[in-house]
Amino acid sequence: MKKMYRQCMALAMLCCVSLSVAAQSWSPVGDKIKSQWGESLTADKPWNVYPRPLLQRGEWNNLNGLWDYAISEKGSRRPSQWEGKILVPYCVESSLSGVGRSLDDKHELWYRRTFTVPAAWKGKDVLLNFDAVDWRADVWVNGVKVGSHTGGYTAFQLNITAALQKGDNEVVVRVADATERGFQPVGKQRMKPHGIWYTPVSGIWQTVWMEPVERTHIADMVTVPDIDAGTVEIDVRSSNAQQPTLAEVRILDGGKVIASGKALAGEKVTVDMPAGFRLWSPDAPNLYDMEVVLSQDGRTLDRVKSYVAMRKVSTRRDADGYVRLQLNNKDIFHFGPLDQGWWPDGLYTPPTYEAMIYDIDKTKQWGFNMIRKHVKVEPRTWYAYCDKVGIIVWQDMPSGDYSNNQRWQPTSPTYYNGTPSRRSAESEANFYKEWKEIIDELRSHPCIAVWVPFNEAWGQFKTDEVVAWTKQYDPYHLINPASGGNIYDCGDITDMHNYPEPKCHLFDGNRANVMGEYGGIGLPIEGHVWVESKDNWGYVQYKSSKEVTDKYEELADMLIDLAHKGYCGGVYTQTTDCEVEVNGIMTYDRKVVKMDEQRLRSINQRVIHSIP
């Protein structure tokens, strides 16, 4: 026994040494500012949070951590040697990746790591999940090609069961990303960042993980509440449509089942909610737990946890003839910040879950009721937290294919006219593919209220067709066709941008009118800027917190005046500084709030309650 004890202790010490050496092989790179979460990050458990809140299973393995990496010329074979370690899930350009190198359209990024499958998963299929890889990913397991995916903003899943072997397994990922030199959505990424354009993001930038399932399992669910009918409709989709299975849905309140329904998988389950069900709103973000069981001949094949909220987004013409935004059949003024979702140390990836929700908590504390998620998609846990705390979300499609941008001027009191951007057939098809994937991934989140397919004229094309497709595919949310862009007679919202003051350049009597961007009040804070230079800018700049807060209130009063004249939403630029933009309410590292927070909340509440 003593000999066995000494052997176990030696093995444990060897494991500790191995982990210590691995951790020592990683450290953040670069000399830019960092958030407090980035400063304290370690390589052992990055982003160890269950990543899919609306379809939760009990077992999963997180593959985040140190992987081997290499960058090779495009078209090269798998590297024979690896250049070093990269910390997943931080993109290769970021400080927290430990690499800090750019990837261009002439090179490819390779990843490699080994893993073992838990013995308890024996007899199950194993799914390998990538929550986001920008942009094209090819994946091999033990030398077997298991799948590919294009699209930098949504998750994809691969069944790797047939490629697995006993003991250690190897996964290799190859990534290609042309950033703005391709036609794909890129948002604000640029190979040469400047002004409002930021450092590019390439490769894995969200969690990589595995889970065990039966061969036939729940592949997806779409949840649609109807507060007028008092029902919830759940579309439970099986991985094997040819195999007849039964889907049972149970809705719970405080652990007690209050409603349930059944249907064959592939048919929609309709659940009647009990009288007196609670509605979801920013003031009362009520969520109901949900369990879904997939079975065949009495045998449970899959069991997942989820949640649902009873809420409705719509528009209505009020007694004064203005079209107003509504939540749960009541007028509401949407007011929140333009949220870019960038970080000085992780770029697209927040350093930690706690860092990510800090921004949302601050937005809520400041008295806003909405966030416009600007030309970026966040991890699904971000939307789940907005569901939990009560934040309405306008979700942008990340813009791309900027080659033929045309910004028009108004030629009538109501609409813009001109020639739209021209895209190749491949570019158009990719837009629809990625837009559909984003909608599929997010539409069951209660926080989502508005889809924004275009920002300004950035790659805007065939607006009527895009809006019609979006409305047909998802009729349960509102559509803002082009925030600040080229305005067509379509969709639910007409959206103007103006800096710094919120000014009405045109008014649409048939749609809800909003000020989709305004503000941009700049204040550089020494020691908390991306670069210490004259390149730092805001649409207007001031020298003190009081001056910034005073100007903010002046602009808010102008927005209130617009609300009295029919406007029903506003978006202030912006939550945080972003690289050389210093017009955030907070600094880029989130260490300084530039305004008087108590005054800020009071002002924002006045704006939100500016309409009856």
Side-chain angles (χ1 to χ4, degrees):
M1 288 295 293
K2 289 183 179 179
K3 181 179 180 181
M4 183 179 294
Y5 174 77
R6 288 195 298 269
Q7 289 174 338
C8 290
M9 289 298 295
L11 180 61
M13 291 180 65
L14 179 62
C15 289
C16 289
V17 170
S18 298
L19 288 171
S20 176
V21 170
Q24 290 172 10
S25 67
W26 170 87
S27 63
V29 296
D31 58 358
K32 302 292 188 183
I33 55 173
K34 293 178 177 61
S35 66
Q36 60 176 319
W37 303 277
E39 289 171 341
S40 60
L41 185 72
T42 60
D44 54 349
K45 291 286 185 182
W47 269 98
N48 195 26
V49 176
Y50 189 84
R52 194 180 54 208
L54 286 178
L55 203 161
Q56 302 177 43
R57 294 191 176 94
E59 293 183 277
W60 72 294
N61 266 21
N62 189 347
L63 296 183
N64 291 341
L66 290 170
W67 293 47
D68 298 321
Y69 89 94
I71 297 176
S72 64
E73 290 187 5
K74 189 174 182 180
S76 300
R77 294 182 178 182
R78 167 184 164 152
S80 57
Q81 292 185 326
W82 301 93
E83 297 181 39
K85 297 290 184 179
I86 183 170
L87 186 60
V88 170
Y90 307 100
C91 70
V92 68
E93 294 90 348
S94 71
S95 170
L96 294 182
S97 71
V99 179
R101 291 171 58 185
S102 293
L103 183 71
D104 61 27
D105 56 336
K106 295 179 175 58
H107 291 82
E108 292 170 333
L109 170 64
W110 293 79
Y111 295 82
R112 175 194 174 274
R113 70 158 288 165
T114 58
F115 65 92
T116 58
V117 177
W121 294 8
K122 185 178 180 180
K124 299 288 186 71
D125 278 14
V126 177
L127 304 181
L128 177 61
N129 298 281
F130 293 84
D131 275 22
V133 181
D134 194 358
W135 179 72
R136 177 184 173 87
D138 300 295
V139 184
W140 292 262
V141 172
N142 299 322
V144 178
K145 181 76 173 288
V146 293
S148 300
H149 181 261
T150 57
Y153 296 95
T154 52
F156 63 97
Q157 186 178 83
L158 304 170
N159 190 323
I160 63 172
T161 311
L164 294 173
Q165 61 190 23
K166 291 183 179 180
D168 287 343
N169 291 266
E170 178 193 63
V171 57
V172 172
V173 183
R174 178 180 64 193
V175 175
D177 183 20
T179 311
E180 83 271 18
R181 296 173 184 173
F183 53 71
Q184 74 265 26
V186 294
K188 288 202 166 186
Q189 303 177 57
R190 286 296 182 275
M191 293 302 299
K192 295 182 179 180
H194 62 282
I196 65 169
W197 311 108
Y198 315 141
T199 304
V201 171
S202 301
I204 298 170
W205 68 273
Q206 288 188 36
T207 293
V208 185
W209 56 292
M210 300 187 302
E211 60 183 329
V213 294
E214 295 287 346
R215 177 61 53 89
T216 299
H217 56 272
I218 297 169
D220 192 19
M221 299 190 305
V222 178
T223 304
V224 178
D226 186 335
I227 70 169
D228 298 321
T231 62
V232 180
E233 186 179 82
I234 307 97
D235 186 359
V236 182
R237 301 171 183 178
S238 168
S239 63
N240 185 355
Q242 280 69 48
Q243 183 174 356
T245 51
L246 179 68
E248 181 177 1
V249 176
R250 306 182 189 109
I251 295 178
L252 302 90
D253 188 7
K256 180 182 178 182
V257 177
I258 60 170
S260 63
K262 298 179 181 180
L264 294 179
E267 299 293 329
K268 295 176 182 177
V269 180
T270 300
V271 178
D272 295 318
M273 293 293 288
F277 59 79
R278 300 187 306 277
L279 299 173
W280 182 96
S281 72
D283 294 328
N286 296 303
L287 300 174
Y288 290 97
D289 291 330
M290 187 164 67
E291 294 178 350
V292 183
V293 177
L294 189 70
S295 63
Q296 184 180 40
D297 299 329
R299 174 176 173 255
T300 297
L301 301 175
D302 199 4
R303 183 188 302 271
V304 300
K305 293 182 178 181
S306 187
Y307 60 86
V308 65
M310 299 301 290
R311 72 98 183 88
K312 173 186 175 183
V313 292
S314 58
T315 62
R316 181 191 71 94
R317 193 175 297 277
D318 69 10
D320 296 321
Y322 299 129
V323 178
R324 295 290 187 184
L325 297 173
Q326 289 208 312
L327 178 66
N328 302 330
N329 298 321
K330 294 182 179 180
D331 293 350
I332 183 171
F333 193 93
H334 289 203
F335 187 43
L338 190 76
D339 194 312
Q340 312 266 16
W342 288 72
W343 294 80
D345 33 24
L347 298 181
Y348 260 12
T349 311
T352 64
Y353 176 80
E354 292 73 22
M356 181 187 74
I357 67 173
Y358 177 82
D359 282 6
I360 303 172
D361 283 339
K362 276 299 184 184
T363 302
K364 189 76 176 178
Q365 291 168 17
W366 294 333
F368 292 111
N369 65 2
M370 177 267 281
I371 290 172
R372 179 179 169 205
K373 179 47 61 180
H374 191 40
V375 294
K376 186 203 173 189
V377 180
E378 294 290 351
R380 287 172 285 188
T381 47
W382 186 92
Y383 300 91
Y385 196 74
C386 289
D387 294 338
K388 178 182 177 180
V389 300
I391 287 284
I392 296 167
V393 174
W394 294 9
Q395 179 61 54
D396 287 11
M397 169 66 172
S399 46
D401 202 346
Y402 294 81
S403 56
N404 291 296
N405 290 339
Q406 293 188 40
R407 187 70 178 272
W408 306 330
Q409 298 300 317
T411 56
S412 73
T414 309
Y415 300 113
Y416 287 75
N417 285 303
T419 303
S421 294
R422 295 179 299 278
R423 293 191 183 214
S424 67
E426 185 180 20
S427 174
E428 289 187 14
N430 185 75
F431 175 94
Y432 279 108
K433 171 192 174 293
E434 295 201 41
W435 186 220
K436 178 181 179 297
E437 288 180 354
I438 291 169
I439 293 172
D440 285 341
E441 189 161 286
L442 302 181
R443 61 177 166 175
S444 292
H445 282 281
C447 65
I448 296 290
V450 178
W451 299 121
V452 188
F454 298 112
N455 177 71
E456 297 183 353
W458 299 355
Q460 186 178 349
F461 75 101
K462 297 184 179 178
T463 309
D464 288 333
E465 294 179 20
V466 170
V467 170
W469 180 91
T470 306
K471 199 68 173 177
Q472 183 276 328
Y473 190 66
D474 178 17
Y476 305 106
H477 294 88
L478 302 177
I479 302 180
N480 180 351
S483 182
N486 304 323
I487 307 302
Y488 285 83
D489 185 7
C490 61
D492 302 295
I493 294 171
T494 297
D495 183 326
M496 293 288 102
H497 292 179
N498 196 79
Y499 286 98
E501 297 89 359
K503 289 184 177 179
C504 176
H505 294 293
L506 60 82
F507 189 85
D508 185 343
N510 297 317
R511 268 158 289 282
N513 291 265
V514 301
M515 182 59 55
E517 290 182 29
Y518 80 96
I521 303 170
L523 176 63
I525 303 293
E526 186 176 355
H528 301 277
V529 291
W530 183 249
V531 293
E532 297 279 1
S533 80
K534 63 181 180 182
D535 291 332
N536 291 315
W537 71 280
Y539 290 94
V540 290
Q541 287 205 34
Y542 292 88
K543 297 181 179 179
S544 72
S545 175
K546 183 180 184 306
E547 288 180 343
V548 170
T549 310
D550 288 346
K551 184 63 176 180
Y552 182 87
E553 184 165 23
E554 177 188 328
L555 300 184
D557 287 337
M558 298 175 70
L559 185 60
I560 289 172
D561 184 60
L562 288 178
H564 294 160
K565 296 174 181 177
Y567 267 63
C568 48
V571 178
Y572 176 80
T573 301
Q574 60 187 329
T575 307
T576 71
D577 294 349
C578 287
E579 301 203 354
V580 298
E581 287 188 59
V582 293
N583 49 20
I585 298 173
M586 288 190 290
T587 54
Y588 198 17
D589 56 14
R590 277 72 168 174
K591 292 180 179 178
V592 180
V593 178
K594 301 180 191 179
M595 298 188 199
D596 180 323
E597 293 186 88
Q598 187 172 352
R599 279 185 66 193
L600 178 61
R601 178 178 176 83
S602 176
I603 294 165
N604 291 342
Q605 288 293 292
R606 278 202 301 117
V607 173
I608 288 171
H609 296 108
S610 60
I611 61 173

